[in-house]
Amino acid sequence: DGGITQSPKYLFRKEGQNVTLSCEQNLNHDAMYWYRQDPGQGLRLIYYSQIVNDFQKGDIAEGYSVSREKKESFPLTVTSAQKNPTAFYLCASSIDLGRSTDTQYFGPGTRLTVL
Amino acid sequence: KNQVEQSPQSLIILEGKNCTLQCNYTVSPFSNLRWYKQDTGRGPVSLTIMTFSENTKSNGRYTATLDADTKQSSLHITASQLSDSASYICVVSPYFGNEKLTFGTGTRLTIIP
């Protein structure tokens, strides 16, 4: 059963803690992305990766970090430097980064709440 | 600044009725426009993707139209079902790639029996 999985579905963090959100895909896609979704706003790009061991900052990368050690995995760490981390986080993938007509496939999301 | 505006923000219709959602964009250059459906608490699912040369594309009861001259798109839902209750997001892509997408804020559609 192909697709993108994210875990956990819900995550609670105390202020000052780092947390890592998992994203795994078995679609054999080269490109992967992390977005943040807030009420009343469109999705905003945090980081993206075109290939293993390579990733680029998106529009709102401050306070976040990523790694891409394997093609199928793209974990996102929300650090204590992120001042307003409470949001719905979505991971996505596509066959390639550079082809603009490639459909992005999204995971089910992780809702992060800071206590 | 690239922008995508959707209207209405929310819409309530009776089951079985048709509806049309609007999307206006100022993204330039323009490569393609996508419509996604997002159920509450879930990730978006692709409905259609249209390039500048396509005027219409259908996916079952969903039909998207595109007017690249006026920079407008619409998503028409025919014979609505309760399962159509969701947010519908318009996304516009410039020529460069998937890292430059501009997302609209969505239209929240509620179907009532």
Side-chain angles (χ1 to χ4, degrees):
Chain A
D1 190 20
I4 302 176
T5 58
Q6 292 185 240
S7 62
K9 186 171 178 62
Y10 299 98
L11 187 57
F12 297 91
R13 189 194 94 169
K14 293 182 180 179
E15 286 194 17
Q17 283 183 335
N18 293 352
V19 291
T20 298
L21 284 58
S22 171
C23 176
E24 304 275 335
Q25 55 98 359
N26 60 7
L27 300 169
N28 199 33
H29 287 172
D30 282 326
M32 297 187 74
Y33 316 80
W34 273 105
Y35 291 94
R36 170 181 173 142
Q37 188 174 35
D38 295 282
Q41 296 191 41
L43 273 67
R44 292 182 291 170
L45 182 64
I46 303 172
Y47 267 97
Y48 63 96
S49 170
Q50 186 171 4
I51 199 169
V52 174
N53 292 323
D54 179 71
F55 48 84
Q56 303 295 329
K57 294 181 179 180
D59 300 320
I60 56 166
E62 184 175 352
Y64 300 97
S65 66
V66 294
S67 63
R68 187 87 187 273
E69 297 177 1
K70 298 185 296 182
K71 184 175 184 178
E72 58 270 23
S73 179
F74 192 40
L76 173 74
T77 297
V78 184
T79 75
S80 57
Q82 170 49 236
K83 297 306 179 187
N84 186 22
T86 295
F88 189 51
Y89 290 87
L90 288 161
C91 179
S93 72
S94 65
I95 295 173
D96 188 77
L97 178 69
R99 295 192 301 177
S100 59
T101 53
D102 268 351
T103 297
Q104 282 189 326
Y105 295 86
F106 286 86
T110 292
R111 185 164 298 280
L112 173 62
T113 302
V114 174
L115 302 174
Chain B
K1 180 182 176 183
N2 290 337
Q3 286 188 313
V4 174
E5 295 184 354
Q6 295 187 242
S7 62
Q9 278 191 324
S10 61
L11 182 63
I12 301 174
I13 65 171
L14 289 172
E15 184 180 11
K17 298 296 185 181
N18 304 335
C19 67
T20 300
L21 314 180
Q22 300 291 341
C23 173
N24 296 338
Y25 62 93
T26 57
V27 176
S28 182
F30 171 80
S31 173
N32 62 80
L33 184 145
R34 314 162 188 207
W35 283 95
Y36 280 86
K37 176 187 179 186
Q38 184 177 23
D39 293 322
T40 301
R42 306 296 300 272
V45 174
S46 178
L47 294 175
T48 64
I49 178 169
M50 292 183 292
T51 64
F52 63 89
S53 61
E54 297 176 292
N55 299 118
T56 185
K57 183 164 281 189
S58 293
N59 179 358
R61 294 179 297 102
Y62 301 100
T63 299
T65 64
L66 173 65
D67 186 336
D69 292 331
T70 62
K71 299 186 178 182
Q72 295 180 325
S73 176
S74 65
L75 180 68
H76 185 75
I77 304 175
T78 304
S80 61
Q81 300 176 359
L82 296 178
S83 60
D84 292 331
S85 293
S87 287
Y88 291 84
I89 301 172
C90 177
V91 185
V92 180
S93 174
Y95 205 71
F96 309 109
N98 274 321
E99 76 275 22
K100 296 294 185 183
L101 303 180
T102 301
F103 289 79
T105 56
T107 292
R108 178 67 201 176
L109 176 65
T110 303
I111 311 299
I112 56 176

